[in-house]
Amino acid sequence: MSREHLLPLWLGFRFYRARQSNSFISFISFASTAGIALGVAVLIIVLSAMNGFERELRQRFLDVVPHAELVGVNNPVMDWQAMVADAQKIPGIYAAAPFIRLQGLVQRQGGFQGVSLVGIDTTLEESVSGIRQYMSQNAWQQLGGSENTIVLGQALLDKLGLREGDALLLYVPDVSGREAGKLGAARSHRFVVRGAYKLGGELELTTAYASMSHLAELLGMGADVSGVRIAVNDVFAAPRLIRELGYTQTQYLYMSDWTRTQGHLYQDIQLVRTLMYLVLALVIAVACFNIVSTLVMAVRDKTSEIAILMTMGLKRGAIVLVFMVHGAISGLLGTLIGTLAGVLVAANLSTLAAALEQALGIRLLSADVYFIDFLPSELHSQDVVIVSIMAFAMSLIATLYPAYKASLTEPAPALAGR
């Protein structure tokens, strides 16, 4: 670049450094830089937290919750082996496993607690669910037998006041007279607690696991099952894939997928991400408006200098560039500081949140309410780039009007008024 092109850049930097001569202009400039830095940092941190929640939803929660399932409408699924074979033929489905589901009540102090008891075949369940890693090895081995073993969620176990080795009664309605329009008295089935799984969220309070073979014997189902659950490569393709599988079957079946049962979690994460993005983008925009104020006052303070430069031959386009550089430096500094601070905090957000919880003796996230009990974070480079470009672009746009007004300065009246 020639000296003629470098001159506006150098003058803009000199004007920026000379702003300290006016303390009020200096304060407004500092406020705009700090505001941009704060907005950029918080936006990067929030987006990283939302990315972390989405990651945990996919890797942790959807690792246990079935991606999709087919359930018999009026009768159990009879030939589940053929259904599993059909599922494995469909591209996108990588595993399928049978299950038996039994809804019932367990008694606790002060009333009853509803429980969904899921009978699983451990040799097949491991291919569609990661529940094994959330319970002890002994509990998993007990589920592989044919005894009256039950594994509860840790939250439910604590709520019932039970321990490993204790017995509990599960009350289920007698539906033998359903066809006649009558329901019999509730039946009770005895189970022995052989462990607990710790996953977090509502699942711990509502779902328990038992041996599929024991439930089949208990309910007189023989080789039949309640349904078949599938695991897919792309969780967002689950609705399409379960319908593709369901339409190949001759039996009447309910088709369900995770977007119906747990989709609100993903939608909530996306909604919060969008709202926070808009709110914090507006915060950055408001901070950029301070650049307008700074430059307007700087132009009025530097009127005589502008007139002298113009009489010396500096063109009006160069004057525009001078004050754009002047304002852009504040935006650039704010963006760089905010980006650096945001990246550092986002990369260590889980550790910082845990330290804050320990120091203040509080829980930021309760496992009884959320599906995790820690604050996750996953930093994406594209988020950092987009936020940084957006903030700097806003600061550049904010410089246009004051810089244009500076270029309209008439040298003779400005010098006459000195």
Side-chain angles (χ1 to χ4, degrees), residues 290-311:
N290 284 332
I291 294 178
V292 177
S293 303
T294 302
L295 287 184
V296 167
M297 289 185 289
V299 168
R300 297 186 65 179
D301 191 52
K302 302 291 185 183
T303 300
S304 58
E305 284 85 346
I306 296 171
I308 292 172
L309 290 171
M310 294 180 73
T311 58

Side-chain angles (χ1 to χ4, degrees), residues 118-120 142-147 149 209-216:
V118 181
I120 58 174
Q142 292 284 341
L143 289 176
S146 58
E147 299 178 352
T149 295
Y209 292 91
S211 165
M212 190 177 78
S213 59
H214 177 72
L215 286 188

Side-chain angles (χ1 to χ4, degrees), residues 28-40 43 279-297 323-324 326-336 387-403:
I28 297 297
S29 179
F30 170 77
S32 64
T33 302
I36 294 171
L38 182 62
V40 169
L43 185 51
V279 169
L280 293 171
L282 290 175
V283 169
I284 297 173
V286 170
C288 289
F289 274 113
N290 284 332
I291 294 178
V292 177
S293 303
T294 302
L295 287 184
V296 167
M297 289 185 289
F323 284 93
M324 284 186 67
H326 183 188
I329 291 175
S330 295
L332 181 62
L333 283 176
T335 301
L336 290 177
V387 171
S388 301
I389 292 176
M390 178 190 68
F392 185 62
M394 284 184 178
S395 64
L396 273 181
I397 293 172
T399 65
L400 294 177
Y401 177 74

Side-chain angles (χ1 to χ4, degrees), residues 116-385:
S116 176
L117 184 60
V118 181
I120 58 174
D121 182 344
T122 55
T123 58
L124 297 174
E125 183 68 16
E126 202 169 358
S127 63
V128 298
S129 171
I131 189 62
R132 177 179 182 177
Q133 57 188 303
Y134 300 103
M135 64 178 69
S136 67
Q137 182 66 23
N138 178 64
W140 182 257
Q141 290 176 348
Q142 292 284 341
L143 289 176
S146 58
E147 299 178 352
N148 60 340
T149 295
I150 190 171
V151 176
L152 305 173
Q154 186 64 51
L156 180 58
L157 192 70
D158 295 339
K159 191 172 184 178
L160 297 175
L162 298 175
R163 293 180 297 178
E164 187 174 344
D166 290 344
L168 64 82
L169 292 177
L170 179 71
Y171 296 91
V172 297
D174 183 1
V175 297
S176 58
R178 176 179 290 179
E179 294 182 0
K182 298 179 181 180
L183 289 178
R187 294 182 176 181
S188 62
H189 302 291
R190 183 177 181 273
F191 291 89
V192 179
V193 179
R194 292 302 183 188
Y197 68 90
K198 186 172 178 58
L199 178 67
E202 186 181 359
L203 200 68
E204 271 192 27
L205 284 168
T206 59
T207 304
Y209 292 91
S211 165
M212 190 177 78
S213 59
H214 177 72
L215 286 188
E217 181 182 354
L218 200 68
L219 300 175
M221 296 177 67
D224 299 342
V225 296
S226 298
V228 170
R229 62 177 61 183
I230 65 170
V232 300
N233 295 316
D234 180 9
V235 294
F236 295 105
R240 174 182 59 82
L241 292 173
I242 195 62
R243 281 158 181 75
E244 185 176 345
L245 174 62
Y247 293 153
T248 64
Q249 307 303 310
T250 57
Q251 183 177 350
Y252 287 110
L253 300 166
Y254 287 120
M255 295 181 288
S256 178
D257 60 84
W258 74 272
T259 61
R260 290 187 173 186
T261 59
Q262 308 295 335
H264 63 280
L265 288 173
Y266 180 79
Q267 293 168 359
D268 289 346
I269 291 172
Q270 298 306 312
L271 178 61
V272 171
R273 181 204 297 271
T274 302
L275 290 178
M276 293 304 297
Y277 203 101
L278 290 175
V279 169
L280 293 171
L282 290 175
V283 169
I284 297 173
V286 170
C288 289
F289 274 113
N290 284 332
I291 294 178
V292 177
S293 303
T294 302
L295 287 184
V296 167
M297 289 185 289
V299 168
R300 297 186 65 179
D301 191 52
K302 302 291 185 183
T303 300
S304 58
E305 284 85 346
I306 296 171
I308 292 172
L309 290 171
M310 294 180 73
T311 58
M312 295 176 65
L314 195 65
K315 297 179 180 179
R316 294 187 184 274
I319 295 295
V320 172
L321 186 57
V322 166
F323 284 93
M324 284 186 67
V325 172
H326 183 188
I329 291 175
S330 295
L332 181 62
L333 283 176
T335 301
L336 290 177
I337 294 171
T339 300
L340 180 61
V343 168
L344 288 175
V345 173
N348 301 279
L349 186 60
S350 300
T351 303
L352 293 174
L356 183 63
E357 289 179 341
Q358 186 174 5
L360 300 179
I362 60 173
R363 297 294 296 177
L364 297 177
L365 294 176
S366 173
D368 294 338
V369 180
Y370 303 95
F371 61 94
I372 53 176
D373 58 359
F374 63 94
L375 188 61
S377 178
E378 183 175 354
L379 186 64
H380 289 175
S381 58
Q382 62 266 30
D383 289 338
V384 176
V385 172

